[in-house]
Amino acid sequence: MQKTEGLDWRGIDRQNFPLPDAKPFFDEVREELENGSGMVKIRGLEVGRYQQEQLRRIWYALGAHLGTPMFQNYRGEVMREIKDEGMGVGAKLYGATVDEHGKQFLSSGARTLSPGQLRFHTDRCDVVGLLCVRQASEGGVSKLASSATVYNRILERRPDLHALLCKAIPRSRFGEEAGGEHVAYDLPIFGVRDGKLTSHFSLTYIENAQMLPDVRKLGEAEHEAIQLLMAVAEEECFEMRFAPGDIQLLNNHVIYHGRTAFKDNVQTGEDRMLMRLWLSVPNSRALPPDHAVLWGDVGSGKPHGGIAQPAAALPV
């Protein structure tokens, strides 16, 4: 901490925040994430000892030792506080539209800034990391399901529907990204390369794509396949409640995550706040070629994922 005192947390890296004795630990964590269960929980960081800016430096340093922090939105954020931002804030920051019934339809990013339930989904990065600073007085339970298990269960039960999930499904960028050649794009929910699965799934982006005029409408069997995926994930999931100081790391290629609704109690200091990092890790799997539309470089161990940033303004 001494070498970085006074340094903005965005300037932290492996060189100015060295942790040489921890290298075997970070190697073990990355191995578990990529070739083990795909999930790691680390406990014991005494968050109450530190001011928020100090916590940001510590958490960003840990992320920098594990991998490369990636942009989480087109405003260039590489660390996001996940908490209830209040009515309308999420929609303003991340976008919203209206559905066919005139009801507000929030983007995935906007939903994370509300106290509501989050459906099973993945983020656009190799590893998502969450540091719990404060927990809600009620709810806010993390729900995790192995996408590999979901893949296998659907293949056993309904190979016809499984085949549809391995084919292109229209998605929407939902205004959360600057750049990108299309508002909508096609990507299968299940992909395999070199014997390794990747599953990129967020129902919100599929639903929003169906609201766009020039996007192919899903067939009845495709809707059934997606509903089966959600049902199997619910059957196979387990729950994990964060305590302050807990760190959760998930490999998005093989783990779906969700969250139960929560209720804060500001008076008792139980107002849920997590610090989130998106990481590209050096031992990541190669992705199928068609995933380049979303991930960029699909090579093994390559920095990929994250949200495209606005092009730099040209000099006049």
Side-chain angles (χ1 to χ4, degrees):
M1 288 288 291
Q2 191 65 36
K3 294 178 67 173
T4 61
E5 203 66 45
L7 179 67
D8 184 87
W9 61 267
R10 298 169 188 83
I12 299 291
D13 56 33
R14 290 186 292 273
Q15 285 67 48
N16 59 28
F17 203 119
L19 297 168
D21 294 339
K23 183 181 182 304
F25 173 74
F26 291 125
D27 290 342
E28 183 180 355
V29 168
R30 281 191 294 264
E31 176 65 17
E32 181 64 28
L33 289 168
E34 177 58 25
N35 297 310
S37 66
M39 60 188 101
V40 171
K41 183 176 183 179
I42 303 169
R43 312 192 71 173
L45 179 58
E46 297 180 41
V47 293
R49 291 179 53 190
Y50 304 103
Q51 297 178 353
Q52 187 150 313
E53 186 65 16
Q54 292 176 310
L55 270 181
R56 284 181 175 273
R57 287 198 287 269
I58 294 170
W59 179 219
Y60 197 72
L62 293 174
H65 279 276
L66 282 168
T68 301
M70 307 301 287
F71 293 117
Q72 299 184 32
N73 54 46
Y74 65 80
R75 291 181 301 281
E77 286 184 315
V78 290
M79 185 186 301
R80 180 73 209 176
E81 292 184 2
I82 306 300
K83 59 185 180 180
D84 180 11
E85 296 275 11
M87 185 69 68
V89 174
K92 183 178 179 181
L93 288 174
Y94 282 96
T97 185
V98 293
D99 63 19
E100 59 184 355
H101 305 294
K103 183 179 178 182
Q104 186 183 54
F105 184 89
L106 294 175
S107 70
S108 182
R111 295 178 193 214
T112 66
L113 304 186
S114 77
Q117 173 190 5
L118 295 182
R119 299 178 294 191
F120 288 110
H121 65 282
T122 59
D123 294 336
R124 198 194 313 182
C125 56
D126 293 323
V127 171
V128 57
L130 293 169
L131 166 62
C132 179
V133 180
R134 297 186 301 275
Q135 182 54 284
S137 59
E138 298 178 25
V141 176
S142 179
K143 300 176 68 173
L144 307 175
S146 163
S147 56
T149 298
V150 173
Y151 177 99
N152 289 331
R153 296 292 179 269
I154 296 175
L155 182 59
E156 292 166 0
R157 295 186 196 178
R158 292 292 302 273
D160 57 325
L161 299 183
H162 184 277
L164 295 177
L165 298 174
C166 296
K167 296 180 179 178
I169 300 286
R171 325 282 186 101
S172 167
R173 296 184 189 274
F174 206 162
E176 292 187 356
E177 183 169 357
E181 66 277 23
H182 302 296
V183 173
Y185 59 96
D186 288 329
L187 192 69
I189 291 174
F190 293 142
V192 177
R193 180 174 174 182
D194 302 332
K196 284 194 167 186
L197 173 72
T198 181
S199 183
H200 186 77
F201 176 70
S202 178
L203 185 54
T204 300
Y205 296 109
I206 296 173
E207 290 172 334
N208 183 246
Q210 293 297 292
M211 299 164 64
L212 300 176
D214 298 324
V215 170
R216 177 183 72 83
K217 303 309 177 189
L218 297 178
E220 183 177 337
E222 288 173 304
H223 283 293
E224 185 181 1
I226 291 169
Q227 290 304 311
L228 178 59
L229 182 150
M230 297 288 286
V232 173
E234 187 67 38
E235 292 170 12
E236 298 292 341
C237 79
F238 71 95
E239 297 184 345
M240 175 192 300
R241 181 171 171 82
F242 290 122
D246 287 351
I247 293 171
Q248 182 190 78
L249 299 164
L250 304 175
N251 183 336
N252 279 295
H253 301 294
V254 295
I255 300 294
Y256 298 139
H257 61 282
R259 181 195 74 201
T260 65
F262 65 88
K263 182 178 180 180
D264 287 335
N265 187 332
V266 178
Q267 286 70 33
T268 62
E270 296 172 294
D271 53 325
R272 191 177 195 268
M273 197 275 273
L274 311 178
M275 291 181 178
R276 184 179 70 187
L277 291 175
W278 281 6
L279 302 174
S280 180
V281 292
N283 63 332
S284 64
R285 65 196 60 202
L287 305 177
D290 58 3
H291 282 52
V293 68
L294 196 66
W295 289 82
D297 195 327
V298 295
S300 173
K302 301 294 185 180
H304 51 215
I307 304 295
Q309 299 298 290
L314 296 176
V316 295

